[in-house]
């Protein structure tokens, strides 16, 4: 299920192929309803009935873009200027080949190989514009974009690598959770919000918030692929993310998920997880929290974040398959049990522990 989505060409404002794969996924599963806002964000909703409280409606969020290059202007036959959108190491990016894609062609297109031949400074842009040359005439105009010329999808042992793991692997996890609930005919409600243009500053999420597209009383769980530079260990399990570089997230959701993760670990000894701040970057949980939406977050430990590898050129990103499978298991468990259930158990256990500590040592608190 993950391969078509992770292999899809994408860039900020050019998420059409990934979005189309998500829509086809939903169309093949009639219990899933799909809503769209004016900005092209998609909300997939599975409603299996049951007696779930409205406040327990969980919405998973992930974004469908990845840093890339977007066509700006023609420079003649086989040459064009592109704008880099999203954060990359510029020196490595300039030394790496690209592939050009056309939104008017199928998602399975291999792309036209190209070479960055020069950088052109332009005021008001984060990076210089880059001139890309191709060996043969290539399409020009709006709808043309490029990605770094890297392997799209590769599995070696338990490692999954590709050019755009962040955040297409997070979106794939969310769809796998939906698929599991549909197959089980689970009596729960779950939403999956797939956003656009996260890599240029949460633009899709901000537009969805401005439009009032998101259910106000839902509980949100952002799914990201987050750099191991923040201290997470690849292969040690999915991350319960308590915050990012900009903000901290809802403690009740974090506490409830942690309690349910412990519960899952007691039932399935192969399951394990990590609990981290992950402050090397920011994620869409921050604008949700700033808009007063109750939000928690999870993450997959990611190597070569934004394709920044150890060499002189950009490199494929990578994750551990056990972390991804563990995250699917955790989010299915959270969806079925409910965060409120986990929080109640966690709070009761904490209250009991604190009360027992005081009872054990109260008599030692003699006046000084």
């Amino acid at each position: 299920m993950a391969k078509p989505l992770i292999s899809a060409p994408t860039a900020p404002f050019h998420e059409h192929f990934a979005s189309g794969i998500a829509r086809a996924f939903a169309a093949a599963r009639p219990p899933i309803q799909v809503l769209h806002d004016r900005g092209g964000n998609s909300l997939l909703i599975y409603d299996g009935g049951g007696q779930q409280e409205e406040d327990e409606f969980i919405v998973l969020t992930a974004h469908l873009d990845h840093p890339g290059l977007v066509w700006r202007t023609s420079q003649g036959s086989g040459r064009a200027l592109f704008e880099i959108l999203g954060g990359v190491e510029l020196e490595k990016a300039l030394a790496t080949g690209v592939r050009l894609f056309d939104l008017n062609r199928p998602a399975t297109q291999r792309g036209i190989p190209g070479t960055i031949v020069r950088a052109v400074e332009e005021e008001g842009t984060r990076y210089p514009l880059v001139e890309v040359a191709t060996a043969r005439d290539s399409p020009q105009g709006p709808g043309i974009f490029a990605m770094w010329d890297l392997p799209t999808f590769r599995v070696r042992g338990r490692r999954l690598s590709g050019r755009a793991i962040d955040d297409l692997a997070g979106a794939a996890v969310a769809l796998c959770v939906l698929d599991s609930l549909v197959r089980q005919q689970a009596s729960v409600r779950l939403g999956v919000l797939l956003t656009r243009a996260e890599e240029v500053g949460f633009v899709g999420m901000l537009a969805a918030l401005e439009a009032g597209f998101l259910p106000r009383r839902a509980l949100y769980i952002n799914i990201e692929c987050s750099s191991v530079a923040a201290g997470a260990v690849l292969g040690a399990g999915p991350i319960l993310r308590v915050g990012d570089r900009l903000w901290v997230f809802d403690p009740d959701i974090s506490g409830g998920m942690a309690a349910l993760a412990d519960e899952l670990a007691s039932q399935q000894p192969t399951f394990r997880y990590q609990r981290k701040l992950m402050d090397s970057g920011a994620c869409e949980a921050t604008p949700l929290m700033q808009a007063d939406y109750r939000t928690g977050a999870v993450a997959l430990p990611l190597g070569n974040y934004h394709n920044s590898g150890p060499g002189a050129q950009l490199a494929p990103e990578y994750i551990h398959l056990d972390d991804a499978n563990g995250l699917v298991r955790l989010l299915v468990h959270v969806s079925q049990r409910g965060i409120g259930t986990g929080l109640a158990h966690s709070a009761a256990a904490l209250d009991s522990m604190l009360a027992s500590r005081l009872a054990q040592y109260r008599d030692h608190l003699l006046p000084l």
Side-chain angles (χ1 to χ4, degrees):
M1 185 183 300
K3 185 174 182 179
L5 185 59
I6 293 174
S7 301
T10 190
F13 309 108
H14 292 71
E15 304 89 346
H16 303 56
F17 297 129
S19 181
I21 290 168
R23 289 196 302 271
F25 165 90
R29 294 159 179 82
I32 298 176
Q33 176 188 11
V34 183
L35 306 175
H36 305 283
D37 68 359
R38 292 191 301 273
N41 301 297
S42 301
L43 179 60
L44 285 62
I45 300 176
Y46 167 74
D47 189 348
Q51 301 301 313
Q52 206 172 18
E53 296 291 332
E54 183 65 28
D55 288 344
E56 276 290 297
F57 176 39
I58 294 172
V59 176
L60 310 178
T61 78
H63 63 89
L64 296 179
D65 63 321
H66 186 76
L69 308 92
V70 174
W71 184 90
R72 283 284 297 271
T73 184
S74 173
Q75 298 293 292
S77 178
R79 288 178 178 257
L81 288 181
F82 283 76
E83 181 180 0
I84 298 174
L85 295 180
V88 294
E89 284 195 62
L90 182 60
E91 186 175 347
K92 294 182 180 182
L94 295 177
T96 307
V98 299
R99 281 189 177 267
L100 277 60
F101 298 95
D102 185 349
L103 289 180
N104 294 310
R105 297 186 62 217
T108 54
Q109 64 189 279
R110 295 187 62 186
I112 298 173
T115 303
I116 296 175
V117 295
R118 68 180 178 116
V120 180
E121 296 293 337
E122 179 171 273
E123 186 177 352
T125 60
R126 179 178 179 181
Y127 302 110
L129 301 181
V130 295
E131 183 173 348
V132 174
T134 58
R136 56 188 174 89
D137 284 350
S138 57
Q140 303 265 6
I144 306 302
F145 66 101
M147 300 184 73
W148 315 115
D149 192 0
L150 301 168
T152 59
F153 186 96
R154 177 178 294 168
V155 177
R156 293 290 184 272
R158 301 302 296 164
R159 176 178 288 191
L160 167 61
S161 63
R163 66 188 172 196
I165 298 296
D166 171 25
D167 188 30
L168 294 181
V173 163
L175 296 186
C176 285
V177 174
L178 275 179
D179 181 66
S180 179
L181 297 178
V182 170
R183 288 175 181 272
Q184 296 176 41
Q185 299 182 344
S187 298
V188 300
R189 294 179 68 219
L190 181 79
V192 169
L193 175 67
L194 300 174
T195 61
R196 304 180 62 199
E198 187 270 354
E199 298 291 1
V200 291
F202 318 126
V203 172
M205 178 65 79
L206 293 173
L209 290 168
E210 181 182 63
F213 180 57
L214 308 183
R216 168 57 70 176
R217 294 176 62 187
L219 305 179
Y220 291 84
I221 301 174
N222 176 246
I223 306 173
E224 261 289 5
C225 297
S226 190
S227 174
V228 293
V233 178
L234 205 76
I239 303 159
L240 298 188
R241 187 177 190 171
V242 299
D244 63 12
R245 179 174 53 83
L246 299 175
W247 208 245
V248 292
F249 308 145
D250 189 294
D252 288 345
I253 296 178
S254 295
M257 284 199 295
L260 292 172
D262 289 336
E263 180 180 81
L264 183 61
S266 70
Q267 298 170 0
Q268 302 180 16
T270 60
F271 174 78
R272 55 181 180 163
Y273 72 97
Q274 309 173 67
R275 198 173 187 185
K276 304 284 183 181
L277 176 63
M278 304 307 288
D279 58 353
S280 64
C283 69
E284 291 179 320
T286 286
L288 280 165
M289 286 289 292
Q290 288 297 101
D292 293 325
Y293 286 78
R294 297 182 61 192
T295 308
V298 294
L300 293 173
L302 179 70
N304 290 349
Y305 171 75
H306 280 193
N307 306 112
S308 182
Q313 297 182 320
L314 296 180
E317 298 178 318
Y318 59 89
I319 57 173
H320 199 289
L321 287 173
D322 291 350
D323 297 336
N325 291 333
L327 185 53
V328 172
R329 289 156 65 187
L330 174 61
L331 293 175
V332 168
H333 187 66
V334 168
S335 302
Q336 293 176 326
R337 295 281 286 147
I339 289 174
T341 299
L343 181 62
H345 289 175
S346 176
L350 182 58
D351 288 344
S352 176
M353 183 270 286
L354 295 175
S356 67
R357 294 276 178 87
L358 180 59
Q360 183 178 358
Y361 292 108
R362 181 187 288 111
D363 293 343
H364 294 266
L365 292 172
L366 300 176
L368 298 177

